[in-house]
Amino acid sequence: MGEGGGEVVCRYTAREVDVVLSAAGTRGMGIEVLQDGAPLPAECCGADVARNRSGKAIVQVKGPRAYRLVKNPEHREHVLTLVIPGGGVALYSLAFAPGAIPELISG
């Protein structure tokens, strides 16, 4: 990202989302996670996302690794937005896990 920060927006159809990120420096950076234009609901936060006092869903990026962002209760279409407040962040990949797809389950 540039020095002024920015957003990464991705439409997806899945249950879970992981992302490989790194942040420059030793302090790391808090990146806000939105789903469908609103803060990621607490019940949908992946293992690396926490809600802050103002209700924002934040992933603290401290080093290069995979971060578990989203764990929705079911497989659906959503829009993921990562709000990056400043420069020095690199996004290497996004990974999606479908979970059970109701339309494909017979019985």
Side-chain angles (χ1 to χ4, degrees):
M1 301 260 45
E3 288 186 29
E7 293 183 349
V8 174
V9 180
C10 177
R11 180 177 304 277
Y12 73 95
T13 303
R15 182 172 179 245
E16 298 179 16
V17 181
D18 297 342
V19 61
V20 178
L21 295 163
S22 69
T26 57
R27 292 184 49 194
M29 181 176 297
I31 296 175
E32 185 177 4
V33 182
L34 305 175
Q35 182 165 269
D36 302 326
L40 187 65
E43 65 273 9
C44 299
C45 289
D48 293 309
V49 176
R51 301 289 296 250
N52 67 14
R53 289 185 180 134
S54 64
K56 293 181 178 181
I58 304 292
V59 57
Q60 282 295 117
V61 178
K62 294 183 180 176
R65 70 176 181 88
Y67 291 87
R68 311 236 12 195
L69 297 186
V70 178
K71 188 169 185 175
N72 290 310
E74 56 188 47
H75 179 96
R76 293 187 156 248
E77 182 176 311
H78 295 283
V79 175
L80 175 71
T81 304
L82 302 179
V83 182
I84 302 166
V89 173
L91 187 151
Y92 297 100
S93 69
L94 289 160
F96 306 95
I101 304 171
E103 294 84 14
L104 299 179
I105 298 174
S106 61

